[in-house]
Structures are given as structure tokens and as C-alpha cells.
Amino acid sequence: MKYNLSEITDVIKNRRTIYPTFFSSRKVHKEIVEHLLNNATWAPTHGNTQPWKFQVYMGNSREKLSKNLGELYQLLTPKELYKEGKFKKISSRPFLSSVAIVVSMKRGDNEKIPVIEEVQAVACAVQNMCLTATAYGLGSFWSSPKIIYSDQLKSYLKLKSEDKCLGILYLGYPTIDWPKGQRKPIEYLTEWND
């Protein structure tokens, strides 16, 4: 066997969503973030378009992201749906996290490749980052509130009209015990054809 499948399987099975409210104040070093981003770029991508774009917020830059997210929530949420708790949650996540990575799909010039395949490639890149974070003992949370898909956020991120923001990956060291998880057995999800 080329790799230790037991360790790889453990990392896959132990990847968990851990919310920023459960992150400590311990800082994630830039070298670790670079490792996550480098692993992200090895995701499968049809035609090798590599459609991902990452905008990393660490340190004081998180304040700008927090302010913008809060303002967009207030601007885009109808009055009858507005919740102060949601506003506080969206605004505080960048500060509760050591790192916030805004993940976008940057549409390439090859129109033969459907947009959905570019989105799927970026999702695979995020999974690579989450698995790498798990290996480091970092909590990760891929957040996608409705404002993520707005033209206003796209403008703030300087994305082109054909590009899409796909969420924010928050990272930090957890203050809680690593959560357990479970999945349905494959017998319930799989149809075998011989």
C-alpha cells in the first residue's frame, strides 16, 4: 500500500464542523494557513481550470470583514426577517476565529465547462482545507449565510459578474472536546449494479 489508509480514513471520519463560538484565542500561524491553501489547490478540476480564489483575513483585517458582513446583513434582510441575534453572530464570527478565508469560484474562459463543475471543484478545495485543518487539530466552519450570494458582497470582494462567492471558512483551535459523528451505513445509500 502506498499510504497509510487507516490514518487517511481517520482524518476523513474525524472532520467536523466546529463553530467559532468554540474557538480559543490561540492564533493559527500563517504557515499553517499556507499549507491549507496549498492543499486546496490540489482538488480535482475539470480542464485544470483551477477556479478557486481565496481571500484570507487575519489579525486586524478581520474587523473590515466583520463590519462589511454586518452592514450587508442589515441592508439585505427584510425588516420582518431581521434578527439581532443573527446580526451579532454574522458580525462576531471573524473575531471569534483566528482566520477567516473567503472562498470564491473564479469563472474561467472555457465556456465548455459548466459552472456547476467549477463550483464542485471549489467545494473539493474546501474539503481539502477542512481535512488539512483536522490533521492540525484545527476546528473549521464553512459558513454560507444568504448575503454570501449577493451582488453587494461580490462587489466588496471585487469579483466579476460571472464569479461566485461560495462561503467563508472560519478556522481556530477548539476549546471543546473534538465532536463525535456518525453517518448512515452505505447499505441505505447505495445501489449496486453488476
Side-chain angles (χ1 to χ4, degrees):
M1 207 165 298
K2 189 171 181 180
Y3 300 102
N4 184 328
L5 286 179
S6 159
E7 287 184 4
I8 292 170
T9 300
D10 283 348
V11 171
I12 292 169
K13 286 183 172 182
N14 282 296
R15 188 227 39 91
R16 290 284 168 278
T17 294
I18 300 177
Y19 297 101
T21 51
F22 301 114
F23 291 167
S24 73
S25 59
R26 182 179 169 195
K27 300 297 178 210
V28 177
H29 293 288
K30 184 178 179 183
E31 295 77 20
I32 292 175
V33 178
E34 288 173 341
H35 192 184
L36 268 65
L37 295 171
N38 277 312
N39 283 357
T41 67
W42 288 97
T45 163
H46 187 180
N48 200 24
T49 58
Q50 302 181 44
W52 32 77
K53 179 176 181 178
F54 309 109
Q55 294 173 331
V56 180
Y57 294 83
M58 299 174 75
N60 293 333
S61 70
R62 295 171 301 157
E63 184 175 334
K64 185 177 175 184
L65 178 64
S66 168
K67 183 174 185 270
N68 195 269
L69 292 173
E71 287 174 356
L72 284 179
Y73 177 76
Q74 290 176 320
L75 175 72
L76 299 173
T77 305
K79 193 173 185 177
E80 66 276 9
L81 298 176
Y82 181 88
K83 296 179 181 168
E84 188 64 21
K86 181 82 169 172
F87 166 77
K88 287 180 180 175
K89 189 184 289 186
I90 285 173
S91 299
S92 68
R93 283 180 174 155
F95 290 115
L96 295 173
S97 307
S98 180
V99 181
I101 303 173
V102 178
V103 180
S104 300
M105 182 275 293
K106 191 172 181 336
R107 184 73 168 133
D109 297 332
N110 188 345
E111 293 183 10
K112 290 181 182 178
I113 297 175
V115 171
I116 187 65
E117 293 185 14
E118 300 284 63
V119 170
Q120 291 165 338
V122 176
C124 289
V126 172
Q127 176 73 345
N128 282 2
M129 286 194 286
C130 291
L131 293 174
T132 306
T134 299
Y136 273 110
L138 290 172
S140 63
F141 170 55
W142 186 5
S143 175
S144 55
K146 288 181 184 177
I147 61 172
I148 287 297
Y149 307 114
S150 69
D151 288 336
Q152 290 88 340
L153 186 65
K154 192 182 283 192
S155 175
Y156 166 72
L157 297 172
K158 296 181 175 79
L159 298 176
K160 295 180 181 173
S161 61
E162 64 272 14
D163 301 339
K164 297 181 185 306
C165 179
L166 299 180
I168 304 170
L169 185 65
Y170 294 106
L171 300 167
Y173 288 98
T175 58
I176 58 172
D177 290 337
W178 202 264
K180 302 285 184 220
Q182 59 185 19
R183 292 293 188 268
K184 292 178 184 175
I186 62 170
E187 292 78 13
Y188 295 99
L189 312 167
T190 308
E191 178 182 309
W192 296 92
N193 298 284
D194 288 327

